[in-house]
Amino acid sequence: MFLGSCALMGIRFKVTNPKKPGTYPKYSKDYLLHSQNGPKRNEYDVSYYQLKVTIDPQQKKVSGRVDMKAKALYRLDTLQLDAHRNLKVDSVFVNRVPVNYIRLKDAIWICLRKSMAPDSNFEVSVRYAGKPLVAKKAPWVGGMVWKKDKAGLPWCGVACETEGAYLWWPNKDLVNDEADSMDIYVTAPDQVVSVSNGIYKGNLNTVNGWKISHWHVSYPINNYNVTFYLGNYTCISDTFVSKLNGRKILMSYYVLPNHLNKAFSHFQQAKDYLHFYEKKFGAYPWPKDGYKLVESPYEGMEHQSAIAYGHKYVNDASGIDYIILHETAHEWWGNSVTADDLGDAWLQEGFATYSEALYVEETQGKEAYENYMYWQRLMIKNKRPVARPKDIRYFSYKDEDVYNKGSWLLHSLRTAIQNDTLFFGILRSFRLMHHQQQISSQDFINLVNARTTSGYDWFFRQYLYKREAPVLEYCWQGDYFYYRWLEVEKDFSKMPVELNFGGTIKRVYPNTKVQKIKIESSLGDKVGFSDHKALFGLKRNNQIPLEASE
């Protein structure tokens, strides 16, 4: 998910640390039942879903059947699936035998007829129907989106990263367990086209004004990325030819009729983004499933191999459509490499946001990159750490620092390492090593430490786990500039700082003790950081004790 223009409400021209930290929601027992990784969900591993769903836009209703294949990790007598209370469960089968189950708000507790031994493979089938929650502000506050196009035909979709896929289909709704593959059958009115993830396998049949479309996902996919679109779509076929390996990948653009003429030319820029991300992070992750841009009734979303596009075919002044740029980056960061807990969502949103800036650097130069980073920095709040609470489904678009400070964390790490070849090698290796895996922040920290052969725990303690940005306190006395760190973690003195005194650059390594450097009086008493190379704040304090060493 992208952050979007809503962040512009929070511009901060200086790096500041609010006195009061941000708070997190208080969770009810009902919410915790669905959102915590309880024992009845983490005792088995899902390998496959078959979702057969009927979308009724007139009734704003869904109905269908989910077949799940899984393996017991421990001895099982009860297991939990997740389904929002708006979804009525009609029946549950385990290995094709009907079983008893208990509905507890948003959970389905399935009672096995007999205990299942570890490593046992089993299947669960659930039939269900209901009216899912309607999105209040998709994609940020998610749910179903029921709209009509200008011709009065249905134009519908779903976005549920924040809330979870349990809103519209029963599943094990944890981001740390992805099915290895999936088949999706969408039954919809035959007056519209239905689109989903993966590769289109054709229509099965048309009965009484309804048709069934089959889509196959060949790769692991996280549940909130599973999606559908209904619309009066025309499909434009195109081809992406990888410069990395020469592979041809099907590109499909599903657009409404009134945008048919401009869609093909506008979407050509996606090829540039794909080439760039392949260059930086390795080959496109889903070659069998292709790459789709689907015109959606909401702004955008990184649905795997079926990106939602609702940005009205508009580029910014530099010729970039940031929705395509950002959501395409998620095919690498978020879809291929997935945080195993939304507490580490910066691994998805921060990496994708930083990828935008890297593309700007590649195509427009270093100055444009630094300007792009500057605008991201203006949105940083420093009210909560970038790493959020774990073992609870918490994600909020209002927590802008997951995006912008997450991006600045990578920018600051690049500054700390001072070796672009090494830095970009780390990013590429991280993606390739963890392709189609669910990972944590510690996995990234471990790789940084291993590749740099010097510990960077001090860096991540400061930027990832501490909410406050480092602040450099300073004062002037004659021809001497005195300085020291405030609000920093132990060993942060390893962080290089470039100070700009009227065009004269001085590199220093501050610590929490007062230090000084001699500065010619002709340079005046103004100081700033050189080219916004890392996330720091400045605070002038003429009461600093002046005992210092040069």
Side-chain angles (χ1 to χ4, degrees):
M1 190 193 302
F2 69 102
L3 182 56
S5 58
C6 59
L8 295 176
M9 297 170 61
I11 290 179
R12 295 159 186 82
F13 289 99
K14 293 183 179 180
V15 175
T16 59
N17 292 320
K19 291 182 180 180
K20 292 184 178 180
T23 59
Y24 296 103
K26 293 182 179 180
Y27 303 108
S28 67
K29 291 182 179 179
D30 292 343
Y31 185 83
L32 293 175
L33 180 63
H34 158 253
S35 299
Q36 281 188 320
N37 188 2
K40 299 307 177 185
R41 291 199 291 169
N42 64 18
E43 292 177 349
Y44 66 95
D45 176 61
V46 177
S47 60
Y48 173 78
Y49 287 111
Q50 177 179 268
L51 172 60
K52 293 183 175 180
V53 60
T54 297
I55 309 295
D56 187 340
Q58 183 174 357
Q59 299 293 325
K60 297 183 179 179
K61 180 180 178 180
V62 302
S63 60
R65 168 178 167 174
V66 176
D67 295 316
M68 178 186 78
K69 294 182 180 180
K71 175 186 286 189
L73 302 177
Y74 305 91
R75 180 166 294 279
L76 290 179
D77 54 13
T78 306
L79 59 92
Q80 179 184 340
L81 287 180
D82 306 293
H84 191 272
R85 64 198 69 182
N86 285 16
L87 303 180
K88 178 185 176 182
V89 174
D90 296 323
S91 61
V92 177
F93 291 74
V94 174
N95 294 332
R96 302 183 181 182
V97 176
V99 296
N100 294 325
Y101 61 92
I102 301 170
R103 285 305 305 265
L104 293 175
K105 303 297 183 179
D106 299 323
I108 310 170
W109 286 63
I110 300 171
C111 308
L112 302 180
R113 287 175 173 263
K114 62 179 181 179
S115 295
M116 197 173 296
D119 295 326
S120 298
N121 294 313
F122 63 95
E123 297 182 12
V124 177
S125 298
V126 180
R127 296 182 184 272
Y128 73 102
K131 291 188 174 184
L133 288 179
V134 175
K136 295 180 179 179
K137 191 178 181 180
W140 306 283
V141 183
M144 307 295 281
V145 181
W146 306 104
K147 290 190 176 182
K148 293 184 178 181
D149 63 19
K150 291 183 178 180
L153 293 173
W155 189 26
C156 314
V158 62
C160 56
E161 178 179 9
T162 300
E163 295 77 12
Y166 85 117
L167 285 184
W168 68 287
W169 61 285
N171 62 86
K172 178 184 174 182
D173 208 6
L174 292 177
V175 294
N176 66 359
D177 190 2
E178 295 184 358
D180 299 327
S181 62
M182 190 166 181
D183 281 287
I184 304 166
Y185 298 84
V186 181
T187 301
D190 61 10
Q191 62 189 152
V192 293
V193 173
S194 58
V195 184
S196 190
N197 312 86
I199 198 73
Y200 177 58
K201 305 297 285 188
N203 287 335
L204 296 187
N205 52 46
T206 301
V207 179
N208 298 326
W210 297 79
K211 63 182 176 184
I212 303 173
S213 299
H214 177 200
W215 298 82
H216 177 70
V217 180
S218 305
Y219 307 94
I221 183 169
N222 66 63
N223 291 353
Y224 71 74
N225 262 324
V226 177
T227 197
F228 76 89
Y229 308 86
L230 299 185
N232 185 26
Y233 291 123
T234 297
C235 178
I236 305 172
S237 295
D238 201 356
T239 303
F240 171 75
V241 182
S242 172
K243 295 179 182 178
L244 199 64
N245 54 30
R247 188 162 189 167
K248 294 182 179 180
I249 296 170
L250 175 64
M251 301 181 78
S252 303
Y253 314 133
Y254 286 85
V255 302
L256 297 181
N258 52 317
H259 296 142
L260 189 58
N261 292 333
K262 60 183 175 183
F264 182 78
S265 59
H266 186 82
F267 286 159
Q268 290 305 298
Q269 61 192 285
K271 296 178 184 178
D272 296 331
Y273 306 155
L274 289 166
H275 283 306
F276 173 72
Y277 292 143
E278 282 205 329
K279 175 182 176 182
K280 285 294 185 183
F281 310 130
Y284 178 67
W286 327 113
K288 293 180 183 178
D289 289 354
Y291 172 94
K292 294 187 289 296
L293 290 170
V294 187
E295 190 169 357
S296 64
Y298 54 90
E299 190 81 352
M301 185 64 199
E302 65 265 22
H303 296 136
Q304 185 171 310
S305 76
I307 292 170
Y309 177 80
H311 197 225
K312 300 179 181 179
Y313 303 92
V314 175
N315 292 339
D316 63 21
S318 63
I320 293 173
D321 188 323
Y322 77 95
I323 291 293
I324 304 176
L325 182 63
H326 180 90
E327 307 302 2
T328 299
H330 273 306
E331 296 289 30
W332 283 260
W333 306 113
N335 299 352
S336 170
V337 177
T338 307
D340 63 7
D341 190 296
L342 288 179
D344 283 333
W346 79 279
L347 293 170
Q348 303 176 175
E349 300 297 352
F351 274 64
T353 303
Y354 188 60
S355 297
E356 299 172 33
L358 293 180
Y359 179 79
V360 170
E361 180 180 22
E362 175 85 359
T363 56
Q364 301 175 36
K366 195 63 175 287
E367 183 178 351
Y369 162 80
E370 290 173 348
N371 184 59
Y372 202 88
M373 294 304 304
Y374 172 72
W375 281 99
Q376 289 183 8
R377 201 208 74 190
L378 296 181
M379 311 302 166
I380 294 174
K381 294 181 177 180
N382 292 321
K383 294 189 72 175
R384 301 176 183 86
V386 173
R388 301 300 158 85
K390 303 192 81 169
D391 297 320
I392 184 73
R393 189 179 191 97
Y394 171 78
F395 184 85
S396 172
Y397 74 95
K398 294 181 180 180
D399 284 352
E400 301 160 16
D401 287 4
V402 173
Y403 297 81
N404 295 310
K405 192 173 180 180
S407 176
W408 265 83
L409 185 155
L410 294 171
H411 174 62
S412 300
L413 180 63
R414 182 179 179 182
T415 296
I417 291 176
Q418 301 181 72
N419 182 328
D420 272 4
T421 300
L422 177 58
F423 172 74
F424 287 116
I426 290 171
L427 296 189
R428 185 182 180 91
S429 294
F430 185 59
R431 211 290 291 183
L432 294 176
M433 289 168 59
H434 298 291
H435 173 51
Q436 299 181 10
Q437 293 181 10
Q438 298 83 56
I439 44 78
S440 69
S441 293
Q442 193 59 50
D443 293 312
F444 183 62
I445 296 170
N446 291 344
L447 180 62
V448 171
N449 288 341
R451 291 295 175 88
T452 59
T453 66
S454 59
Y456 272 80
D457 290 335
W458 57 271
F459 177 92
F460 290 99
R461 284 197 303 268
Q462 180 67 50
Y463 282 115
L464 185 59
Y465 297 111
K466 185 180 175 72
R467 75 172 179 89
E468 297 89 354
V471 174
L472 190 73
E473 188 178 45
Y474 72 94
C475 72
W476 297 87
Q477 185 70 28
D479 288 342
Y480 283 94
F481 176 78
Y482 294 81
Y483 60 95
R484 66 180 176 188
W485 280 128
L486 298 177
E487 303 180 28
V488 294
E489 291 293 304
K490 182 181 179 181
D491 296 328
F492 199 74
S493 57
K494 297 177 181 179
M495 186 73 185
V497 177
E498 289 189 358
L499 297 171
N500 187 339
F501 299 94
T504 297
I505 307 299
K506 298 283 188 179
R507 172 172 286 182
V508 296
Y509 288 83
N511 56 43
T512 54
K513 296 181 179 180
V514 178
Q515 301 177 69
K516 67 178 181 179
I517 53 176
K518 191 170 184 179
I519 299 296
E520 296 178 15
S521 58
S522 61
L523 296 177
D525 65 351
K526 302 295 183 183
V527 63
F529 294 117
S530 175
D531 298 328
H532 309 292
K533 290 185 178 295
L535 185 62
F536 306 134
L538 271 175
K539 179 181 179 182
R540 185 164 184 165
N541 182 1
N542 291 329
Q543 304 303 315
I544 292 179
L546 298 182
E547 297 81 3
S549 59
E550 293 188 50

